[in-house]
Amino acid sequence: MDMQPFVIFKKKLLENCSRVIVGKDDIIEQIVVCLIASGHILLEDVPGTGKTMLLRAFAKSIGGDFRRIQFTPDLMPSDLTGINFFNQKKGEFEFRPGPLFAQIILADEINRATPRSQSALLEAMEEKQITVDGVTYAMKQPYMVMASQNPLESYGTFPLPEAQLDRFFMRLRLGYMTREQEISVLRRPDSQKLLEELESVVEAGELEALKESYPQVRVSDDVAGYMMDLVEAPRRSELLLTGVSARGSLALYRASQIFAALQGRDYVIPEDVKQEAVWVLPHRLTLVNQSHLDNVRFLQNLLDEIPVPLEKL
């Protein structure tokens, strides 16, 4: 199996996005993983860390449409999906698509919207389609949603239920830049100008070819068993109310395959699993007492405790 298309694809997107976003290559790489897996991202970060700029740059790099939606308590489902309106000139109803019909979407502060609006987004995420007045419209591919939450506040007026959190492929955090990186950003041209100069670096059919070929990446029995150790341990823990679902274990399996492919390998090693587990699993865990141990630290303890399978020569 030729892995060069994966390596070249990652390199092109990293180089293009890094012209606008500084020092976040690891996060961009995870977005590439999510894109190939046809998944969606939950982004928890403080304001002003470049979430919108990152996703705009990513959308331009793959040649996709981008829309940012500010979620508020008064946001209605029709504001997302679109409406049928009466065209007086034609004397008939016409469908006006909403912002969810873009290919790359930033759902900003998703937890501030009502459950009805959240469910409208959920259908588009899960089914890749939207139903309005009994008519179903398929979404243009590729289709990816990045929903943001502010971790410093009380998770908004309408916290996302566990079932909805589980539908996000991974959870990412941008964090602040280093001192040197921020100085370089201050001295360079305006980010908006750099963004306008970006062009698509993905050729037609390139992404679909990667989506079709990544399942061929091999996962040995030992590595698959290691994945299940990470998945089953939280289910047995007394510190948790809910463990990792079957959807979560499948997400870890796929993410590990894609991450290995992006490194130029046609097989998964335990380090790939450990790398992806910190992004794929924590938001799927519900702790009994959140104040004493957060999800990331709980998972990190598991990664330190569970033995890693060694290569058999």
Side-chain angles (χ1 to χ4, degrees):
M1 180 179 175
D2 184 14
M3 309 309 297
Q4 279 303 110
F6 287 92
V7 177
I8 294 172
F9 185 79
K10 181 186 75 171
K11 182 180 179 181
K12 290 191 298 185
L13 287 178
L14 282 177
E15 291 178 351
N16 209 46
C17 293
S18 295
R19 294 171 57 191
V20 178
I21 303 298
V22 176
K24 301 301 178 184
D25 287 0
D26 56 337
I27 300 298
I28 297 173
E29 185 173 23
Q30 293 306 317
I31 297 176
V32 174
V33 170
C34 195
L35 178 71
I36 297 175
S38 299
H40 306 285
I41 297 171
L42 180 64
L43 189 62
E44 290 189 350
D45 222 327
V46 295
T49 52
K51 299 184 291 290
T52 303
M53 193 65 65
L54 170 60
L55 212 54
R56 283 186 182 276
F58 195 82
K60 293 201 71 172
S61 298
I62 66 172
D65 303 326
F66 171 81
R67 291 295 298 271
R68 175 186 174 276
I69 308 171
Q70 180 63 54
F71 278 65
T72 57
D74 60 348
L75 187 74
M76 300 295 293
S78 59
D79 296 330
L80 300 173
T81 61
I83 59 172
N84 285 308
F85 74 100
F86 187 74
N87 189 324
Q88 293 183 343
K89 291 183 178 180
K90 296 182 179 181
E92 60 185 20
F93 282 93
E94 289 185 0
F95 178 64
R96 178 181 294 162
L100 285 187
F101 280 88
Q103 292 176 276
I104 307 297
I105 296 169
L106 175 60
D108 215 357
E109 295 186 300
I110 182 177
N111 52 327
R112 296 200 178 279
T114 62
R116 286 186 62 195
S117 298
Q118 292 176 6
S119 64
L121 176 67
L122 186 63
E123 181 193 4
M125 289 170 49
E126 187 72 13
E127 307 296 338
K128 304 295 191 299
Q129 64 182 28
I130 288 176
T131 303
V132 179
D133 293 340
V135 180
T136 300
Y137 303 88
M139 314 305 291
K140 187 178 179 181
Q141 299 299 318
Y143 188 75
M144 184 172 69
V145 173
M146 179 185 286
S148 72
Q149 292 189 134
N150 185 351
L152 296 182
E153 298 181 13
S154 58
Y155 289 96
T157 310
F158 304 98
L160 296 178
E162 286 75 13
Q164 190 164 341
L165 286 172
D166 192 40
R167 296 180 186 275
F168 286 96
F169 191 79
M170 60 175 60
R171 181 179 66 180
L172 303 178
R173 291 181 179 177
L174 283 176
Y176 293 112
M177 293 180 285
T178 64
R179 177 185 176 91
E180 292 73 18
Q181 291 168 350
E182 196 157 356
I183 289 176
S184 69
V185 170
L186 295 176
R187 289 177 173 173
R188 73 179 186 180
D190 182 65
S191 297
Q192 191 62 41
K193 181 179 179 181
L194 294 174
L195 185 62
E196 292 173 357
E197 295 173 353
L198 286 187
E199 296 181 356
S200 173
V201 294
V202 176
E203 301 176 3
E206 187 175 2
L207 178 58
E208 289 303 316
L210 298 184
K211 288 184 177 183
E212 292 178 2
S213 57
Y214 86 79
Q216 300 176 32
V217 175
R218 292 177 287 112
V219 181
S220 68
D221 293 340
D222 288 341
V223 174
Y226 179 57
M227 289 186 194
M228 288 309 303
D229 289 341
L230 293 176
V231 168
E232 290 180 339
R235 296 173 181 172
R236 298 191 298 265
S237 174
E238 295 180 353
L239 298 174
L240 293 178
L241 291 175
T242 59
V244 180
S245 66
R247 183 188 286 113
S249 60
L250 183 58
L252 179 60
Y253 189 89
R254 291 175 175 173
S256 300
Q257 285 181 303
I258 296 170
F259 184 78
L262 294 178
Q263 313 314 308
R265 286 182 275 101
D266 62 351
Y267 57 92
V268 176
I269 60 177
E271 283 70 19
D272 300 328
V273 180
K274 296 178 71 172
Q275 172 70 29
E276 294 307 298
V278 297
W279 306 114
V280 173
L281 299 184
H283 67 286
R284 306 175 192 274
L285 306 176
T286 305
L287 293 169
V288 174
N289 193 338
Q290 198 78 19
S291 62
H292 285 82
L293 189 70
D294 64 25
N295 300 18
V296 176
R297 280 191 296 156
F298 178 87
L299 181 65
Q300 193 60 57
N301 290 339
L302 285 183
L303 292 173
D304 294 338
E305 294 171 2
I306 296 178
V308 177
L310 300 177
E311 182 179 8
K312 297 178 181 179
L313 300 177

